[in-house]
Amino acid sequence: MASFYMGGVTGMGMAPLAAFLSDTGNIVRGFDDTPDPEVASYLAKHGVEIEPPEGDLRAYDAVVISTALKRRMGEFVEAGAKSVQFRGQCWAQIC
């Protein structure tokens, strides 16, 4: 079991990944600047917690972000992320 913090978690590409990771026994939390209420409800049913952006990311094994957040990668590194991956990189590791 691993812990993931996901940026842009209610996005079209991120939500299925978050649900899959949670459904396979991982701890998944994340944020979205403009969360979609329907997707947020879907994620809640899959055990994914959506919360305001974390200030300290050291507790998570990995931070996964959508490519829309690429320009903000430095924020995640400064917040102590051990690993910052793009969505596709995370899927590639799973497969």
Side-chain angles (χ1 to χ4, degrees):
M1 178 170 64
S3 59
F4 294 87
Y5 187 76
M6 305 187 75
V9 72
T10 67
M12 184 185 314
M14 293 294 285
L17 176 57
F20 176 81
L21 289 171
S22 183
D23 288 349
T24 55
N26 298 288
I27 297 167
V28 182
R29 294 187 179 97
F31 82 96
D32 201 303
D33 291 333
T34 54
D36 180 308
E38 287 184 46
V39 177
S41 176
Y42 166 82
L43 290 173
K45 291 175 186 172
H46 288 272
V48 177
E49 296 180 30
I50 300 173
E51 53 195 31
E54 288 268 337
D56 184 356
L57 300 174
R58 291 177 289 178
Y60 299 96
D61 295 312
V63 173
V64 182
I65 61 173
S66 70
T67 52
L69 297 176
K70 182 178 183 176
R71 69 188 184 289
R72 294 174 59 183
M73 187 176 293
E75 294 175 35
F76 301 105
V77 172
E78 288 176 18
K82 297 173 189 172
S83 166
V84 180
Q85 307 170 350
F86 291 114
R87 175 186 65 240
Q89 292 170 311
C90 187
W91 274 122
Q93 288 181 346
I94 293 168
C95 294

